[in-house]
Amino acid sequence: KMKLNPQWTISTYFDQYYFAFNRFGASFPTKGYENLIQVDYKPRRSTLIYARFRSDNKEENGSIFEEGQRLDFIIPTRKNNFRIHFQSALNDQVEIKSRAEFSWFTRGETEKHQGVLIYQDLSWKPGFTFKLTARYAMFDAPDFDARIYAYENDVLGNFSIPPYFRTGSRYYLIANIKATRWLEFWVRFAQTRFHNSFL
């Protein structure tokens, strides 16, 4: 991690791994590597903009049929993700987050899939006793291998990072009401709609 100045920061990592035994999705020993680089720009305390590129290269099961027999082997795969993220507190009550993320998945030499996710978050907290959080997302990732994960806000005690795939839109609303110092209420409503084409 390199902090160039108070506004700019560069973060990166490289991870190389080897599985000596079978694992999920691979019936043979496999190897792979993953790398990421992220550039953060913080023009002021309440605003953050960053761009991230991540590449995951690993081996998975592959097979072909020859003369009535199935031949299993290991095939290389690569999944690249590129993300642009913006978040800012407009004032003491309203915060917005915007994100666009793209994915490219390849298996071997011929199989290729792409995906895209765009969402807008809005958080409104007019006082200490009430908070409203909302998201509207559009996604187009027809193949599951090109899915894009995104963290979702949830009610107290729950944790959600669902995969966005197929083609459609999704939204959710969360209301948090603090009735007393020891009692608060959470309500969440979410809906996903699938479409034949993007937008």
Side-chain angles (χ1 to χ4, degrees):
K1 184 176 181 178
M2 296 175 288
K3 194 172 183 65
L4 305 180
N5 54 48
Q7 288 78 38
W8 291 92
T9 304
I10 299 177
S11 306
T12 184
Y13 72 77
F14 178 83
D15 179 27
Q16 190 170 15
Y17 50 86
Y18 174 73
F19 294 95
F21 304 98
N22 301 353
R23 62 173 179 81
F24 178 77
S27 303
F28 306 92
T30 55
K31 63 182 181 298
Y33 65 92
E34 178 182 337
N35 56 277
L36 177 146
I37 183 169
Q38 178 171 315
V39 179
D40 295 357
Y41 174 57
K42 199 167 186 180
R44 57 180 184 270
R45 180 178 298 179
S46 60
T47 300
L48 171 65
I49 305 170
Y50 72 80
R52 172 190 294 179
F53 177 79
R54 176 178 176 267
S55 182
D56 188 10
N57 303 263
K58 59 186 177 182
E59 297 172 324
E60 296 182 351
N61 282 336
S63 63
I64 59 173
F65 286 89
E66 288 188 358
E67 299 180 357
Q69 293 186 343
R70 174 175 170 172
L71 303 178
D72 294 327
F73 54 89
I74 289 298
I75 190 169
T77 68
R78 171 179 292 180
K79 185 175 182 181
N80 293 334
N81 288 73
F82 177 70
R83 174 190 300 177
I84 300 176
H85 181 90
F86 170 83
Q87 66 183 66
S88 180
L90 303 183
N91 51 48
D92 293 338
Q93 298 181 356
V94 180
E95 181 182 26
I96 60 172
K97 296 180 182 179
S98 306
R99 178 179 297 180
E101 185 162 352
F102 308 87
S103 68
W104 299 268
F105 178 85
T106 60
R107 178 184 283 110
E109 298 293 332
T110 58
E111 187 177 349
K112 298 181 180 181
H113 305 284
Q114 297 180 359
V116 60
L117 166 66
I118 301 172
Y119 74 66
Q120 178 66 57
D121 282 0
L122 175 66
S123 178
W124 179 46
K125 190 175 181 181
F128 294 103
T129 60
F130 179 74
K131 183 178 181 181
L132 182 67
T133 306
R135 168 178 294 177
Y136 181 75
M138 297 181 294
F139 54 92
D140 187 9
D143 191 87
F144 186 71
D145 287 325
R147 66 195 180 275
I148 299 174
Y149 289 92
Y151 171 80
E152 288 188 353
N153 292 290
D154 212 323
V155 299
L156 184 66
N158 277 19
F159 184 76
S160 179
I161 308 181
Y164 287 78
F165 73 101
R166 296 175 62 183
T167 300
S169 60
R170 175 174 171 79
Y171 70 89
Y172 66 77
L173 298 169
I174 304 173
N176 174 218
I177 303 172
K178 294 185 178 181
T180 68
R181 184 177 178 182
W182 303 277
L183 178 65
E184 59 182 278
F185 297 94
W186 292 80
V187 179
R188 185 178 194 265
F189 179 80
Q191 185 178 56
T192 302
R193 295 183 177 182
F194 295 104
H195 311 295
N196 294 325
S197 60
F198 187 53
L199 300 180

